[in-house]
Amino acid sequence: MISEIILLCSSTLESPWIDSCWPTKNIKARAHMTALLARYELGSIGGLRVAVKDSVDVEGVPTRLGSAACETVTPATAHAEIVHNILSAGHQIIGKTLMHELAFGVTGINHYSGTPVNTLYPDLIPGGSSSGSAVAVADGTADFAIGTDTGGSVRVPAACCGVFGFKPTFGRVSRQGVWPTETSLDCVGPFAATLSVLEKAEQALDPSFNLDVITKKKFHFGLVADTSARSEVATALQHYLKQSGVSQASLSLPLMEDAFLAGLDVINAETALACKTFLDTGRVGLDVAERLRKAAQTTAGQVAVAEHVRDRFSRQLDARFEVFDVLVMPALPDYPLRREEAFAGATDLRMTALVRPFNLSGHPALVIPFEVGGLPIGIQLIGRKGADEEVFLAARELVQRSASLNNNKYTQ
């Protein structure tokens, strides 16, 4: 039962939420915008505190997707399956988080429902689309948070905000009760400030997740050398891996760029279809509406070519896993946009160049916080399909080995 909802408003918002956004008998306004749209108590008070992205159904609460186009939707009549799983694991859901409108953007900027401040890097964007979920963990509001990742929407905010984030193997974690209902890319994934809590979060989301079944103690890391990351980012990661002392060697993924572009075509086609009704209301924000109109121009021929790339890239990755246990590369190819630039209308889809390909292929991927020159970049680990546990244990090895290093203060 939802016992209380607290509406969070901010004087910095262009269009702050109004009381009617959350129909309930007990609404309290607050003047400070955090990561949350609304607070409530649901589940065991003694469990870990969990924040949930507003694209996930919670019974009795509207799922508004951060959009005025969804302002009049009725409250969800049932929990999403992952919400049931979280509550069954003994945790407490404390509220829903802010998000990029209709989950279609990389900056996290939302002029309607609000943009959370990147706690560790307040001058930078929090990343999208699961911006509020990443910030809820970074600022300590939640012990772990739930996001969705269609083209990097967990891993990009995790990297931007200096927290851990995970995208599971496509199809392994239930999406029942999660928007969009039809997708070949989207995955539900957790954020946490530490790897140990991220492990507990994934155990709650995925009842089949069991680290004890993996007996491997040391992993052979494959450093992807031919990425689009700026030179100092690539150099910093090479140095970091060398200093950590993990077993590693370099490899190439020649289809990365093709997979990035193909991923854009697939997400554009699928999102344009999922959002058509919302766009027709005329209430979608101008920035997202423009992207949706362009996305709707994606042709069946483009999608067919993208599906061919999906198959080739997936097979290329699978071949690399015959040699390596896990692949490693930067999560972001460049530093995040400054917040003021994004509010002025700037965006950068190239932020997803190193994460989006693995939505297309369906492989699991985990982001470890990592700085270069004091700015967030993140390290991404990619594993075999279905081998989500191996990715976590490889991350554990890397974090433990690098605990004494001084160039990555957020992986302790």
Side-chain angles (χ1 to χ4, degrees), residues 164 166 195 199 209 211 214 216-222 240-241 244 246-247 321 324-328 364 366 368 379-384 387-402:
F164 291 82
F166 180 63
L195 185 58
E199 292 170 359
F209 184 84
L211 293 172
I214 309 299
K216 193 173 187 65
K217 299 299 182 182
K218 292 185 179 181
F219 292 82
H220 186 39
F221 291 77
Y240 177 73
L241 289 176
S244 72
V246 296
S247 171
F321 288 120
F324 299 97
D325 297 308
V326 65
L327 307 186
V328 58
L366 187 152
I368 297 171
I379 296 172
Q380 181 179 210
L381 304 182
I382 304 98
R384 300 176 180 88
D388 299 31
E389 290 89 349
E390 287 190 3
V391 179
F392 272 82
L393 291 180
R396 187 187 290 181
E397 179 185 349
L398 183 58
V399 169
Q400 289 174 346
R401 282 176 171 268
S402 62

Side-chain angles (χ1 to χ4, degrees), residues 57-291:
D57 285 349
V58 174
E59 183 179 356
V61 179
T63 303
R64 290 208 167 90
L65 309 177
S67 179
C70 305
E71 198 168 78
T72 60
V73 298
T74 58
T77 58
H79 291 320
E81 186 172 340
I82 58 165
V83 172
H84 278 294
N85 292 347
I86 291 167
L87 297 175
S88 297
H91 303 307
Q92 178 192 15
I93 294 178
I94 62 169
K96 282 198 167 185
T97 61
L98 295 163
M99 58 181 282
H100 201 109
E101 185 175 9
L102 300 179
F104 202 38
V106 299
T107 63
I109 302 299
N110 190 320
H111 297 290
Y112 168 68
S113 60
T115 303
V117 176
N118 186 337
T119 307
L120 299 177
Y121 310 95
D123 293 333
L124 305 180
I125 58 170
S129 63
S130 308
S131 53
S133 294
V135 172
V137 165
D139 70 10
T141 299
D143 296 310
F144 71 87
I146 305 305
T148 61
D149 191 314
T150 317
S153 290
V154 166
R155 289 160 293 155
V156 167
C160 288
C161 295
V163 300
F164 291 82
F166 180 63
K167 181 198 82 69
T169 300
F170 179 79
R172 178 158 175 177
V173 173
S174 171
R175 297 193 66 266
Q176 181 274 323
V178 179
W179 186 87
T181 57
E182 300 293 333
T183 177
S184 68
L185 302 171
D186 191 58
C187 302
V188 175
F191 298 85
T194 67
L195 185 58
S196 61
V197 174
L198 193 75
E199 292 170 359
K200 293 177 182 177
E202 190 61 20
Q203 289 167 353
L205 290 178
D206 178 6
S208 73
F209 184 84
N210 184 1
L211 293 172
D212 293 336
V213 302
I214 309 299
T215 58
K216 193 173 187 65
K217 299 299 182 182
K218 292 185 179 181
F219 292 82
H220 186 39
F221 291 77
L223 174 61
V224 181
D226 55 345
T227 72
S228 58
R230 62 188 300 162
S231 60
E232 60 264 40
V233 169
T235 299
L237 179 54
Q238 290 170 3
H239 178 73
Y240 177 73
L241 289 176
K242 182 178 180 180
Q243 291 294 105
S244 72
V246 296
S247 171
Q248 56 139 331
S250 295
L251 74 148
S252 64
L253 286 176
L255 290 175
M256 274 286 291
E257 179 67 13
D258 289 346
F260 165 65
L261 296 173
L264 284 174
D265 283 339
V266 174
I267 194 175
N268 283 340
E270 293 183 351
T271 305
L273 182 62
C275 293
K276 185 180 185 307
T277 302
F278 303 139
L279 187 60
D280 289 346
T281 67
R283 301 200 67 197
V284 175
L286 294 178
D287 54 339
V288 175
E290 182 179 0
R291 277 199 71 197

Side-chain angles (χ1 to χ4, degrees), residues 292-309:
L292 286 173
R293 283 189 285 268
K294 290 180 179 178
Q297 298 171 11
T298 306
T299 67
Q302 287 175 289
V303 174
V305 171
E307 291 297 341
H308 180 59
V309 173

